[in-house]
Amino acid sequence: MSKLLEIRGLRARIAGGREVLKGIDLDVSPGEVHAIMGPNGAGKSTLSSVLAGKPGYEVTEGTVRYLGHDLLTMPADERAREGVFLAFQYPVEIPGVNNMYFLRAALNAGRRQRGQAELDAQQFLKSVRERLKLLDIGDDLLRRAVNVGFSGGEKKRNEIFQMAMLEPRLAILDETDSGLDIDALRAVSDGVNRLRDPARAIVMITHYQRLLDYIVPDRVHVLADGRIVASGDKTFAAELERTGYAHLVDAA
Amino acid sequence: MPIWSMRLEAGGAMLMTDDSAPFREGFDQMLATAAEPVWLTFRRRAEMDRFALLGFPTRRQEAWRFTDLEPLTAAAPLPMAAPLPMAMADDLPSPASLALWLLPVTTHRLVLANGHVVPSLSAGPPLPDGVWLASVAETLRRRPDLLEGAFGDEDGALAALNAALFTDGVVLALEPGVTLETPVEVIHHTTAAGAHARLHIALGAGSRATVVETAIGPVGDGAAAGPVTSWGNTVGVVTLGADAVLTHLHIQAEGPAACHTAAVRAVLADRARYDACAVITGARLSRRDMAVVLAGDEAEFRLYGAYLLDGGQEATLSVRADHLGLGCRTDEVVKGVLAGASHGVFLGTLAVAPGADGADARQVNRNLLLSPTARVDTKPELEILADDVKCAHGATVGSLDEAALFYLQARGIDPETARRMLVEAFAAEVLDAAGLPTALAELAHRHLWRWLDGRDS
Ligand SMILES: Nc1ncnc2c1ncn2[C@@H]1O[C@H](COP(=O)(O)OP(=O)(O)OP(=O)(O)O)[C@@H](O)[C@H]1O
Ligand SMILES: [Mg+2]
């Protein structure tokens, strides 16, 4: 079975600054869910940023292949249209840009790339309604500007809502569970679980084992000081909860 | 006998100059042939002398420090000698170019070509009782009383030159208590190097009107860098009686070889409201001077505007609001989008006279620089001479939010579209905040979109 994502010896630094990723190896196959845990500042968000193509980072070594293509040479918007989705740890507020307008532009950009017909306003609305219900999001959020004035939890839900609309092949969720209340965590987890599909893979960055009770991962990795220092199956997270990271970091 | 002005040139030598010289011959001819009231002839002479005294504004004057009229005054030979006595067929806008700028509703429309109202392009439903709407030429013939008191000493050299040379214009006068529901649409089409038109608006107590003023001209090939070939120079005089409400949208969309100068002065009586909105994208060089006097108690002035510039364009928006009455309110929000090597200038003064207590005035100028060669000068000022006032002002200059740009791209939106979305959001916000009637808002937004479409860089 060919890999969806294949990261080999990836080293990256902040542009003009210090090295944050110090040799990452990671394979993700279609249908899999991976969890990445690890101490604050280890480089988890940096890894997701590099995968999404955020400016400001320099890859100095290594390769990333996505569906067999060299991901790192693709511009960020093209990666997104090819099915890479990053749910931001800190979703950005965009004053003046209406959430629905934005989402429809994004959705249709992806459809154009895949040679599909654009959705008209009605089809789009139908699709929106279905997913809103699943995620228990009020439609007033959609009438507002992108993330502007959203509560922390609303922003996270909006990320997952966007994911549900865009139906990516590879979803990277950066601490989507942080800041969610118990009901929201369940709603978001349900949303993610519904998206689980043999053709699709999910990489979740999280600090909390609880998320992994809802979205059961195939693999759990510990990223510390820019490297993946340990990996295990779904039981590994519970073990980490007891042992902490210190012994892994020291060993690495 | 002109009055000569002395100008100190850079080298220190005194030169005798008179910027009015190129206009004199045409001016004398015009006075000789025009059949106008005597008071107007005197007015014209006085204003021509004032212009001779002042000369074209230069950057040595504080108010013009950031505005360079050079592209206009350097156009050699000064091509603006004599205003033509009427509009020629070549001066008229084509139906197609005119159609781009029309409001999508029924209006009282007056189209001016090089400063003359063109009857064949002007139309509208019958006017309700108590409404006078006509060209300046016709008003001078039939209701000179409406204009006689409306001419006073002009502020500044360009307004003086306008008062000396104006050929025509539009007069809107409402008797007290009249509401003119249908918007008045005034379109200035300028191809000549010197079109001087006037707009007189006088609303009686409790009356209401909506006026859209659109300045257009040959579109050219886009690059604003060459010499100026057309110049429109207008003066607006707005008088609002007690409780009168005027909504005034100004769209400026001339081509890249145009120069546009305009001065608007307004006087507001008790509780009068002046809602102004300006969307400026046109002309190689432009300047709009607004002087609003809130003379009555609780008068209100609102200005929402945007200048969007590219290439070698320069635009200045200069606004002075004088608060004289008690409890007056001013709210100004002006946004600038500067691309290419363009230059935007915002000069804003909020003045509160001694004793004008309870004034509440706000002035905000926010600018977005889209290129490293674009520039902006912004100078918000307060002159507060009363005690009990609330005044706020601020100016910002920034560039597009990188985090927002990346967020949009991370959802599959290409960088070009992402940038456009953010620029549109920035500018549209101020147009929305203006609270214009639907048809006017639509026109303003259409103008913004055309600007966004036009610059695919
Ligand atoms: N743009 C940046 N400029 C400067 N330093 C940065 C930048 N991005 C990341 N860093 C630094 O790189 C290191 C890794 O940051 P990163 O955000 O990837 O950590 P993380 O593993 O996601 O941490 P957390 O669990 O707290 O979210 C940190 O020390 C951070 O300060
Ligand atoms: Mg992080």
Side-chain angles (χ1 to χ4, degrees):
Chain A
M1 175 88 223
S2 76
K3 299 278 180 258
L4 188 69
L5 183 70
E6 218 175 58
I7 305 177
R8 290 283 175 276
L10 180 67
R11 303 181 80 102
R13 62 176 181 219
I14 314 299
R18 67 186 181 82
E19 184 168 63
V20 178
L21 302 182
K22 302 174 181 175
I24 303 265
D25 292 290
L26 182 67
D27 281 348
V28 180
S29 295
E32 287 183 343
V33 174
H34 289 231
I36 299 181
M37 306 182 77
N40 293 127
K44 303 182 296 298
S45 292
T46 303
L47 175 61
S48 66
S49 296
V50 168
L51 293 178
K54 184 174 177 178
Y57 300 90
E58 284 168 18
V59 173
T60 51
E61 259 184 68
T63 57
V64 178
R65 302 195 76 78
Y66 166 71
L67 291 170
H69 302 288
D70 178 1
L71 186 71
L72 298 177
T73 56
M74 287 158 71
D77 56 312
E78 194 183 328
R79 296 182 201 192
R81 291 194 298 272
E82 291 292 350
V84 177
F85 179 92
L86 168 63
F88 285 58
Q89 182 173 0
Y90 304 107
V92 180
E93 300 195 2
I94 312 183
V97 175
N98 171 269
N99 217 355
M100 292 286 267
Y101 171 72
F102 152 68
L103 195 54
R104 194 167 154 208
L107 186 69
N108 281 333
R111 293 181 69 91
R112 277 196 302 275
Q113 178 105 351
R114 294 187 293 272
Q116 297 168 317
E118 297 190 14
L119 292 190
D120 65 28
Q122 242 175 354
Q123 296 165 316
F124 174 71
L125 238 103
K126 184 163 171 282
S127 174
V128 163
R129 291 232 175 77
E130 288 166 7
R131 285 161 180 82
L132 280 181
K133 225 184 286 160
L134 292 181
L135 289 164
D136 194 23
I137 298 179
D139 55 2
D140 59 308
L141 286 190
L142 296 179
R143 284 195 291 268
R144 286 158 55 181
V146 180
N147 293 322
V148 176
F150 288 24
S151 76
E154 286 168 343
K155 284 181 185 167
K156 295 300 177 75
R157 269 196 235 209
N158 193 31
E159 293 292 287
I160 297 306
F161 168 63
Q162 290 175 25
M163 178 181 84
M165 289 296 299
L166 297 174
E167 301 183 322
R169 294 291 300 276
L170 171 66
I172 305 160
L173 314 184
D174 192 354
E175 294 199 27
T176 301
D177 54 331
S178 310
L180 290 181
D181 65 40
I182 299 161
D183 293 338
L185 183 61
R186 181 163 293 138
V188 162
S189 304
D190 286 351
V192 174
N193 281 328
R194 249 186 219 99
L195 231 67
R196 287 183 86 152
D197 177 301
R200 186 173 286 145
I202 298 168
V203 175
M204 303 183 293
I205 296 168
T206 182
H207 288 295
Y208 305 106
Q209 207 232 301
R210 174 155 46 188
L211 177 70
L212 308 184
D213 293 339
Y214 290 110
I215 310 171
V216 180
D218 299 294
R219 302 288 296 161
V220 177
H221 312 274
V222 173
L223 201 162
D225 192 24
R227 287 185 201 90
I228 289 180
V229 294
S231 301
D233 62 12
K234 63 187 172 202
T235 59
F236 186 40
E239 187 185 321
L240 286 169
E241 193 91 339
R242 288 195 310 276
T243 60
Y245 300 124
H247 66 291
L248 297 171
V249 178
D250 293 343
Chain B
M1 174 71 192
I3 301 167
W4 297 92
S5 70
M6 312 282 272
R7 211 189 261 178
L8 192 61
E9 294 298 318
M14 295 289 233
L15 289 180
M16 305 294 274
T17 64
D18 178 357
D19 289 345
S20 78
F23 302 101
R24 286 286 174 176
E25 194 183 331
F27 180 61
D28 291 341
Q29 217 163 33
M30 176 176 157
L31 290 189
T33 53
E36 288 184 337
V38 177
W39 62 262
L40 184 57
T41 306
F42 276 109
R43 215 356 79 200
R44 287 188 188 274
R45 286 195 190 284
E47 296 297 347
M48 186 53 103
D49 285 347
R50 189 198 310 280
F51 176 71
L53 186 66
L54 297 171
F56 278 110
T58 73
R59 295 187 55 193
R60 281 183 290 261
Q61 288 153 258
E62 181 57 26
W64 288 77
R65 194 149 67 100
F66 302 111
T67 315
D68 193 357
L69 271 187
E70 176 81 4
L72 173 70
T73 53
L78 217 53
M80 53 193 91
L84 294 168
M86 66 177 78
M88 303 294 161
D90 287 351
D91 303 342
L92 306 186
S94 73
S97 67
L98 191 57
L100 290 176
W101 300 105
L102 298 182
L103 278 179
V105 291
T106 303
T107 63
H108 298 288
R109 184 191 315 144
L110 289 125
V111 176
L112 287 89
N114 289 332
H116 294 274
V117 171
V118 183
S120 63
L121 294 175
S122 305
L127 292 167
D129 286 346
V131 177
W132 175 267
L133 175 64
S135 69
V136 164
E138 187 183 343
T139 308
L140 283 171
R141 281 195 304 273
R142 294 176 46 201
R143 290 289 309 272
D145 58 299
L146 290 176
L147 282 172
E148 184 161 4
F151 280 81
D153 289 353
E154 296 289 349
D155 248 353
L158 298 180
L161 190 64
N162 170 287
L165 293 177
F166 78 88
T167 41
D168 200 355
V170 171
V171 180
L172 171 67
L174 266 62
E175 285 174 10
V178 175
T179 296
L180 181 57
E181 297 284 358
T182 309
V184 173
E185 188 172 35
V186 177
I187 295 176
H188 299 273
H189 182 257
T190 306
T191 57
H196 305 273
R198 298 186 71 87
L199 176 64
H200 285 265
I201 301 171
L203 305 190
S207 64
R208 294 165 165 263
T210 299
V211 175
V212 179
E213 229 189 326
T214 304
I216 58 174
V219 176
D221 60 3
V228 161
T229 58
S230 75
W231 178 33
N233 177 41
T234 62
V235 167
V237 180
V238 172
T239 313
L240 303 184
D243 299 296
V245 180
L246 174 65
T247 300
H248 186 182
L249 170 63
H250 166 73
I251 301 248
Q252 188 197 304
E254 295 102 330
C259 174
H260 174 110
T261 52
V264 178
R265 58 173 189 270
V267 179
L268 281 57
D270 291 347
R271 296 171 307 279
R273 200 170 92 212
Y274 183 22
D275 276 340
C277 179
V279 191
I280 295 165
T281 66
R284 156 78 181 80
L285 170 65
S286 74
R287 173 148 177 148
R288 184 169 182 81
D289 279 280
M290 299 184 76
V292 178
V293 178
L294 297 95
D297 293 345
E298 290 169 50
E300 194 173 339
F301 168 49
R302 302 197 315 145
L303 170 66
Y304 287 79
Y307 43 88
L308 302 108
L309 309 174
D310 200 352
Q313 284 182 291
E314 177 175 277
T316 301
L317 183 56
S318 165
V319 190
R320 180 183 174 92
D322 275 289
H323 302 74
L324 307 185
L326 293 174
C328 291
R329 292 230 299 264
T330 288
D331 191 19
E332 286 172 32
V333 182
V334 174
K335 288 191 170 184
V337 177
L338 294 313
S342 66
H343 181 206
V345 182
F346 175 77
L347 308 172
T349 303
L350 296 176
V352 182
D357 290 339
D360 183 350
R362 173 177 84 126
Q363 178 177 258
V364 179
N365 176 230
R366 294 183 58 200
N367 295 283
L368 188 57
L369 296 182
L370 296 183
S371 99
T373 45
R375 282 182 306 138
V376 63
D377 286 293
T378 173
K379 212 173 137 212
E381 288 183 306
L382 299 177
E383 293 173 12
I384 313 289
L385 301 172
D387 299 324
D388 173 26
V389 299
K390 244 170 55 191
C391 282
H393 70 155
T396 60
V397 181
S399 47
L400 282 179
D401 179 357
E402 292 295 331
L405 269 180
F406 175 63
Y407 190 84
L408 295 173
Q409 289 171 65
R411 296 296 176 255
I413 295 170
D414 65 90
E416 210 44 62
T417 307
R419 240 175 259 130
R420 185 193 151 116
M421 279 170 109
L422 295 183
V423 173
E424 183 185 344
F426 177 81
E429 191 214 8
V430 70
L431 302 186
D432 291 336
L436 295 167
T438 314
L440 275 67
E442 196 181 310
L443 182 70
H445 280 282
R446 237 201 287 150
H447 187 35
L448 167 62
W449 294 328
R450 196 169 296 129
W451 185 81
L452 291 166
D453 290 343
R455 48 172 309 277
D456 23 33
S457 52

